Amino acid sequence: MTTTTPLPLPAWPASSGITFRRYGGLRDVAGMGEANARLRAHVGPLEPIDLDAMRHRYTHLVNCDPLVDCILAERDGITVGYGRVEWHDLNDGDRIYDITSVVEPSAWGLGIAEALVGWSEDRLREVAEANPTDRRSWFAVHVFDGDEEQERASLARGYTAVRWGAEMLRPDLEHVDEPRLPDGYVLRSPREEELPSVFQMQVEAFAEHWGQAQAD
């Protein structure tokens, strides 16, 4: 991604204890993950935060330089939220400009979600100018069901719900039927040297999936 002079941070009254700062590297991931975990505990998604996976993701982001494309919101020095932007060209010919915005429940009602989305949109406009395309382009915000703060902030800025996801949970692992495979097929874990082929298979399998990004 082409970087530019960093976009100014949201301004906030000093008396509030709220400050915004730029992502400073992997040392920030633990605080970001804790804020995300507190949000998830409140709204109820099943997938927990995995800090090692989060560090890996922030080391291998595509079309995103977190040093200029990610900011943190802190209250009295503790991370209570963050925003990050990235973009992807999709298999259907469109381009998506993605916004990740997280605000833990203890910081709801302070305007942080609105500030993060507003900053993210401004940053993405810079990104779009630096990476011109003829593709039809969209802003997108991903919101957990039950995250009333982010939903309200997004709707206020003109976003419309267009897609829903779902998680399913079994009560236990009893009475799980053994898979029936066609003759000649086996189930096994891939060897390390086979992982590129597994990745390519996944790319091809989801090529026509709604909103699927082109493989980078």
Side-chain angles (χ1 to χ4, degrees), residues 96-112:
I96 198 79
Y97 292 98
D98 266 325
I99 296 172
T100 296
S101 178
V102 170
V103 180
E104 68 170 64
S106 71
W108 286 7
L110 303 177
I112 295 174

Side-chain angles (χ1 to χ4, degrees), residues 25-186:
L26 293 180
R27 65 180 182 273
D28 285 332
V29 168
M32 296 162 66
E34 289 167 3
N36 196 315
R38 289 190 286 269
L39 172 63
R40 289 169 182 252
H42 182 79
V43 301
L46 300 176
E47 183 181 10
I49 283 292
D50 181 327
L51 288 180
D52 286 338
M54 193 170 174
R55 292 186 186 97
H56 182 273
R57 173 160 174 71
Y58 273 76
T59 305
H60 298 88
L61 288 166
V62 176
N63 295 332
C64 174
D65 177 355
L67 296 178
V68 291
D69 294 327
C70 180
I71 62 173
L72 280 63
E74 296 182 333
R75 181 166 58 188
D76 300 325
I78 303 299
T79 301
V80 295
Y82 59 92
R84 189 190 74 244
V85 302
E86 58 193 288
W87 63 271
H88 300 281
D89 287 334
L90 307 183
N91 287 333
D92 63 9
D94 287 355
R95 173 175 288 183
I96 198 79
Y97 292 98
D98 266 325
I99 296 172
T100 296
S101 178
V102 170
V103 180
E104 68 170 64
S106 71
W108 286 7
L110 303 177
I112 295 174
E114 292 89 337
L116 290 174
V117 175
W119 181 91
S120 297
E121 289 179 349
D122 289 342
R123 174 59 188 144
L124 285 173
R125 291 186 181 96
E126 291 185 337
V127 170
E129 184 176 355
N131 299 272
T133 183
D134 293 330
R135 290 170 174 258
R136 183 175 61 169
S137 300
W138 308 89
F139 282 172
V141 181
H142 303 275
V143 182
F144 288 132
D145 185 31
D147 187 350
E148 299 172 359
E149 183 79 349
Q150 189 61 60
E151 181 179 9
R152 180 182 57 77
S154 300
L155 292 175
R157 297 191 69 87
Y159 290 84
T160 301
V162 295
R163 189 184 190 191
W164 291 260
E167 294 179 303
M168 301 179 69
L169 177 69
R170 286 181 57 94
D172 54 51
L173 296 179
E174 302 297 325
H175 311 296
V176 178
D177 294 336
E178 290 291 329
R180 296 182 180 180
L181 299 175
D183 290 342
Y185 286 83
V186 296

